[in-house]
Amino acid sequence: MACGAVVTTCTATMLATRLTQKLGLAYPIISAPMALAGGGKLAAAVSHAGGLGLIGGGYCNRQWVMDQINIAEQHSPNPTMGGTLDVGCGFITWALAQTPTLLTEVLARRPRAIMLAFGDPAPFVEEIAAAGVPLLCQVQTLEHAKRAIEVGADVIVAQGAEAGGHGAHRATMTLVPEVADWIGQTSPDRLLVAAGGVGDGRGVAAALMLGADGVLVGSRLWASDEALVHQNMLDDAVRATGDTTVRTSVADVARKLDWPEQYTCRVLQNQFVNQWHADLPGLIAEADSEAAKWADAWAAGDTTVVSPVVGEVVGIINRVEPAAVIIATMVAESERLLGGGWRKPEQLPDS
């Protein structure tokens, strides 16, 4: 096996991997740092459940990020473990480049990890390493993975296009094993996490078999009691299928966010998206009025305008639950499958 062999010893859990050992986790499950949705309460709940919760620092609003770190401390049974936060924080790399002092402030709080995505992490690696904080870098291609390892990433998060929110074109099922093989051959001390389409124990088990050391879970934890998501968006997501998601730049243009062209955002289709998806120049021409419309709809939870930011895995999300229940269910199902529960009844040997 390449770089992510699951340790199936008869210890506390079948899900002990190099990731759980490196980050001190009970389970190899990390919550995606979902901008504005992944706040301190969700991050603390995931960490308390045995995974690693990441605050969605996203576009680097300093006040929001520091507020959420404080909330995470308030909701954690172990708010500072030897002076270290019980949670980590993730940033959009190109946004962090515009507010680099925020990283310094967050590192001063001693997070358990920092995750960077959507841009070259090189300018931030030295400061993160000097703080002794593990660096996770999310990538969408093999070349991105090579660059992240070259500059010093400890953990590569290989994200497939099935994922909700921003991403690129490669699929999780093929990207993860390709990156796993390359890491195993060239940098076997680095770890790999699979992202995109992981919504239950089947996804966890599959990711480990593909060579990952763990998983990053976004949409399933977006649909949790602790996430900062309007109830109308949750209701729409529970009713949706994976067929009703789309990769688009509509939400970015409507919010006047200058995203690099190679990234689009997977969201649920709605009236606003369907109106503008094939007419981005028209939306750009109406940017001022449509941006105001978008902002009002976000505050009101008007899902005819604002799209829930979820991945294709939304099709297997049937309810909103506490993060601890989601984690426990994923763990139990994946352990059952890895223990042989993947076999169909007709494939079981005669007793």
Side-chain angles (χ1 to χ4, degrees), residues 34 131 150 191 235 306 318:
M34 299 170 285
E150 176 188 359
L191 307 188
D235 292 343
V306 175
N318 302 312

Side-chain angles (χ1 to χ4, degrees), residues 143-169:
E143 290 305 311
H144 289 170
K146 291 179 179 180
R147 173 59 178 167
I149 287 177
E150 176 188 359
V151 301
D154 299 296
V155 181
I156 297 299
V157 180
Q159 182 205 40
E162 303 94 320
H166 288 90
H169 305 291

Side-chain angles (χ1 to χ4, degrees), residues 117-311:
F118 310 114
D120 187 358
F124 310 104
V125 171
E126 183 177 354
E127 183 177 5
I128 294 169
V133 175
L135 171 60
L136 287 63
C137 287
Q138 182 170 275
V139 304
Q140 291 76 33
T141 68
L142 178 61
E143 290 305 311
H144 289 170
K146 291 179 179 180
R147 173 59 178 167
I149 287 177
E150 176 188 359
V151 301
D154 299 296
V155 181
I156 297 299
V157 180
Q159 182 205 40
E162 303 94 320
H166 288 90
H169 305 291
R170 291 291 306 272
T172 306
M173 194 74 174
T174 53
L175 178 62
V176 170
E178 185 175 0
V179 175
D181 288 348
W182 187 83
I183 290 177
Q185 293 162 10
T186 65
S187 305
D189 59 324
R190 310 302 172 89
L191 307 188
L192 176 63
V193 167
V198 180
D200 59 16
R202 292 174 294 183
V204 176
L208 296 177
M209 291 303 97
L210 290 175
D213 297 288
V215 297
L216 186 83
V217 178
S219 298
R220 186 63 194 94
L221 289 166
W222 176 94
S224 68
D225 290 344
E226 294 88 352
L228 300 173
V229 180
H230 196 285
Q231 186 63 48
N232 292 349
M233 295 188 190
L234 294 171
D235 292 343
D236 278 9
V238 168
R239 291 191 294 263
T241 72
D243 293 347
T244 56
T245 70
V246 63
R247 282 212 160 275
T248 184
S249 295
V250 167
D252 296 332
V253 174
R255 293 179 293 173
K256 296 186 175 182
L257 295 174
D258 191 19
W259 269 86
E261 289 185 3
Q262 73 243 49
Y263 303 116
T264 54
C265 185
R266 187 175 293 283
V267 299
L268 280 187
Q269 297 177 50
N270 63 6
Q271 293 178 22
F272 192 85
V273 169
N274 293 338
Q275 176 185 356
W276 295 113
H277 179 61
D279 185 21
L280 288 179
L283 179 57
I284 292 171
E286 301 290 336
D288 289 341
S289 62
E290 294 302 313
K293 180 179 178 181
W294 178 277
D296 290 343
W298 178 270
D302 180 358
T303 57
T304 65
V305 176
V306 175
S307 300
V309 181
V310 290

Side-chain angles (χ1 to χ4, degrees), residues 27-41:
Y27 310 116
I29 298 173
I30 303 172
S31 66
M34 299 170 285
L36 300 180
K41 187 175 181 180

